[in-house]
Amino acid sequence: MISRVEETKQPGRIRRLSEDLVNKIAAGEVVERPASIVKELVENALDAGARQVVVEIEHGGKSLIRVRDDGCGMSRDDAVLSVERHATSKIAALDDLERVATHGFRGEALPSIASVCALVLTTREEGATAGTEVAVHHGRMAHVRDTAHPRGTTVEARDLFNAVPARRKFLRADATEAAHVAEAITVAATSRPETGFRMTSGGRIVVEAPATRDLAQRLYQLFGDDVLMDLAPLEWSGASLRVSGFVSRPDRPAPARPAIRLFVNGRPVRDRMLAKAATDAYRGAGVSNPRPVAFVFIEIPPHAVDVNVHPAKTEVRFADMRAVFGGVERAVMQALSATSRETAPAPFVESVAEPGTPYRVTPGWAQRDIVFAGGAPGDGEGSAVSRGVSFSASDAEPELASDDRIVVLGQHRHTYIVASDGEDLLLVDQHTAHERVRFETLVAQFETRSVETQRLIEPLVLTLPPRLRPLVKEHAAALSDLGFETEDFGGAELRLGSVPALLRGLDPRAAVEGILRDLLDRDADGWIVPPGRERLAATIACHSAVRAGQVLAREAMAAIVRDLARTRHPTMCPHGRPAIVRIPKDDVSRWFGRKGWRRE
Ligand SMILES: Nc1ncnc2c1ncn2[C@@H]1O[C@H](COP(=O)(O)OP(=O)(O)OP(=O)(O)O)[C@@H](O)[C@H]1O
Ligand SMILES: [Mg+2]
């Protein structure tokens, strides 16, 4: 085969690229804009053990980038080698990649940078009498000479992309490029509190972050105390995985966009899945549309992560992504639940955002009695809601005697349960609330290996529509985990022996089809629970829950409110829709023009 191709090939079409061109192409991957140069140079400084890194830029870095460090420096020979391609001191063999603890390992950054600017590297190592200056102009070595320099290294990159107009065209306004540089410094400084950072742009200080002991202090230096006050600590360890850092408290104002910064063994990385793990945890805690600020540090044995998957080293691959995903999600969930315990105020429903948006329910709720207004068994004449009310002739509302109970007042439009806790009005969406209850019931049953099933009197043979057929196979394990006994005949037919007991009373045929259709048609955004078993549980819950528009007996309403209170995340259904909304008493007072409160 190969020889035949060679025989027919026209000679002379393939050419070896010049070293210079190869460098420029490689540079395209590593050096997109000033910020990427700064990132590489700063990482080199950190790898050299710098305790202080100073970055200066002019014109957004287009005319000058200078990075100075007090790290180990280089000998004359090393300084010359450092600007050659594939020359690195950080790994020697492929195996070393498995334990690489430095940012760099490719030996490409300096030559790539040197190929697109006028680069001068000045360095001196400890004990050397003279320093060395190496100059490379747009890929060509200009000179090497002795010079004076304190221990450490300074790299100066001038006139970026002057010889690469195609790339220069893509550079943005100076201020925009400077902002990207500042972000690169922010990320590096976050990853290394014990190193001091300073950045100036056009002589003006942009970042000033002296070396410090801990991350909180560093975040304070970088973002100020507004941000720090809104953060909760993250600390979780599992088998060969530790997750630490800070996440924004869900009860504080969220930024316009999520800002999730991830570090794997100190290396800043981007990872959509892990960002999702963090946001999923917020949803699970009842935050709709979460926009977290997060600084997530993942420590994992080096052999369990491949760092060599992206030219700029901003992505990594995990041997066991699920474990890392689960670890991050759990870590964030734990941090969020700690904040809710900490901040739980006396009223049991607490505002998490603007009025009118969903509210978080604090755990105290579950301990309360739930009763009916008027006519509930044993409640006698006086309705619970009127108890403790004293009437006053004043403009202010009378204060209610504190009553630990939740009073179900009735049903609104056969869709919402209206209740009062003696302070605020509560509106509970009967479907989403019941869905949450049933979801958690089913998951708990599975976790304790006690899923209740309903055996069908006679196995049912279903003919599924073609588009739903592959789902049975795909979800076979989850279906059986949750109480479906199925036998796929391989063709159009499916034999059903039992269904989850939660579906009791429903037409099993319609229920199974409906559940499969939901799994297929609801897009990925329509869920706050992970795919797989949990999503199937959510779908079963949805199909088995009471519907909007269904008339409910008072006992049923009380049961839903009571059971909702006992769930782990009472504010949301598994699709992320609110289950309960609180109308604060002060809003009600305002609507009625009652300004203040007065005790009788
Ligand atoms: N600031 C510095 N202080 C001391 N040595 C440095 C510094 N910058 C670079 N070096 C040396 O020069 C070598 C080449 O640097 P370069 O950034 O090109 O490659 P690398 O860091 O090894 O790998 P990568 O291309 O992944 O960054 C390094 O391995 C290191 O030995
Ligand atoms: Mg490097």
Side-chain angles (χ1 to χ4, degrees), residues 373-582:
D379 208 33
E381 254 299 293
S383 85
V385 92
S386 66
R387 225 181 324 183
V389 179
S390 55
F391 292 97
S392 120
S394 80
D395 269 344
E397 264 182 25
E399 179 129 21
L400 281 170
S402 150
D403 186 337
D404 242 1
R405 295 185 298 182
I406 291 170
V407 183
V408 173
L409 302 172
Q411 200 182 13
H412 174 58
R413 298 176 62 82
H414 298 154
T415 301
Y416 307 102
I417 300 165
V418 186
S420 162
D421 67 339
E423 293 271 316
D424 299 330
L425 265 180
L426 309 173
L427 285 179
V428 176
D429 184 313
Q430 63 192 41
H431 173 69
T432 50
H434 198 213
E435 200 178 357
R436 166 55 70 183
V437 168
R438 298 216 134 180
F439 168 69
E440 292 203 8
T441 305
L442 194 52
V443 170
Q445 284 181 3
F446 170 76
E447 279 167 0
T448 55
R449 307 275 150 205
S450 58
V451 173
E452 287 179 45
T453 59
Q454 166 87 53
R455 180 149 292 285
L456 303 177
I457 300 167
E458 250 188 64
L460 192 70
V461 176
L462 295 175
T463 308
L464 289 176
R467 63 188 204 101
L468 296 182
R469 285 174 208 160
L471 289 172
V472 178
K473 202 172 195 128
E474 192 189 327
H475 296 281
L479 284 165
S480 115
D481 283 345
L482 297 179
F484 287 99
E485 192 191 302
T486 58
E487 232 181 288
D488 193 350
F489 286 164
E493 278 176 353
L494 175 77
R495 205 171 117 113
L496 201 61
S498 72
V499 295
L502 286 185
L503 296 175
R504 213 182 323 233
L506 298 178
D507 170 12
R509 193 183 299 268
V512 168
E513 272 208 27
I515 286 166
L516 293 177
R517 194 172 302 121
D518 268 12
L519 280 179
L520 186 68
D521 291 346
R522 206 179 263 271
D523 64 14
D525 290 336
W527 300 92
I528 56 170
V529 295
R533 191 187 307 115
E534 292 211 58
R535 220 168 260 184
L536 179 65
T539 313
I540 295 168
C542 177
H543 281 260
S544 76
V546 300
R547 310 258 125 204
Q550 193 171 329
V551 180
L552 293 183
R554 292 178 156 178
E555 286 75 7
M557 289 191 263
I560 290 173
V561 176
R562 186 185 314 113
D563 293 345
L564 179 66
R566 294 191 180 126
T567 58
R568 283 166 58 213
H569 299 299
T571 56
M572 297 254 141
C573 79
H575 300 306
R577 290 207 352 244
I580 181 167
V581 166
R582 180 184 71 138

Side-chain angles (χ1 to χ4, degrees), residues 156-336:
E156 230 179 62
R158 289 185 186 270
D159 304 330
L160 188 57
F161 298 136
N162 262 7
V164 198
R167 192 158 288 270
R168 194 171 173 90
K169 246 190 358 224
F170 285 100
L171 292 181
R172 298 294 175 79
D174 293 357
T176 310
E177 295 300 338
H180 284 285
V181 172
E183 171 63 17
I185 300 295
T186 304
V187 168
T190 305
S191 79
R192 195 77 87 89
E194 61 276 19
T195 295
F197 284 83
R198 168 179 243 248
M199 172 196 160
T200 61
S201 171
R204 306 230 323 244
I205 292 180
V206 179
V207 175
E208 177 77 90
T212 169
R213 273 167 298 114
D214 65 359
L215 177 62
Q217 182 68 19
R218 176 50 51 91
L219 295 178
Y220 171 75
Q221 294 168 341
L222 294 170
F223 303 102
D225 63 358
D226 278 3
V227 167
L228 191 65
M229 296 304 286
D230 286 350
L231 295 175
L234 193 64
E235 183 60 71
W236 184 88
S237 316
S240 35
L241 179 68
R242 175 167 177 247
V243 182
S244 62
F246 286 90
V247 291
S248 51
R249 307 168 84 101
D251 53 351
R252 305 292 164 86
R257 281 200 269 149
I260 300 174
R261 294 184 166 92
L262 297 164
F263 302 85
V264 175
N265 295 341
R267 184 187 298 283
V269 298
R270 269 173 266 162
D271 191 307
R272 283 172 60 193
M273 280 308 282
L274 294 186
K276 182 175 177 316
T279 32
D280 279 359
Y282 277 75
R283 289 205 185 88
V287 180
S288 60
N289 187 20
R291 297 185 303 271
V293 176
F295 303 89
V296 182
F297 289 77
I298 297 164
E299 282 156 63
I300 185 168
H303 64 80
V305 52
D306 184 358
V307 294
N308 188 24
V309 294
H310 188 269
K313 296 166 289 188
T314 53
E315 285 169 25
V316 293
R317 197 179 295 132
F318 298 100
D320 186 356
M321 180 59 184
R322 282 178 51 173
V324 183
F325 186 99
V328 170
E329 191 180 25
R330 247 164 287 152
V332 178
M333 277 169 80
Q334 189 179 298
L336 298 183

Side-chain angles (χ1 to χ4, degrees), residues 5-59:
V5 172
E6 281 181 351
E7 277 160 25
T8 57
K9 201 169 65 182
Q10 299 294 311
R13 283 212 307 208
I14 293 184
R15 277 194 196 97
R16 204 177 273 283
L17 296 176
S18 72
E19 178 87 353
D20 182 48
L21 188 47
V22 170
N23 281 345
K24 286 198 167 78
I25 292 168
E29 292 173 2
V30 178
V31 187
E32 280 177 332
R33 60 187 339 164
S36 36
I37 294 185
V38 169
K39 170 187 182 292
E40 294 296 335
L41 297 180
V42 168
E43 289 187 349
N44 280 349
L46 296 179
D47 286 347
R51 282 161 307 155
Q52 180 69 26
V53 179
V54 179
V55 179
E56 296 158 80
I57 60 169
E58 299 289 343
H59 301 106

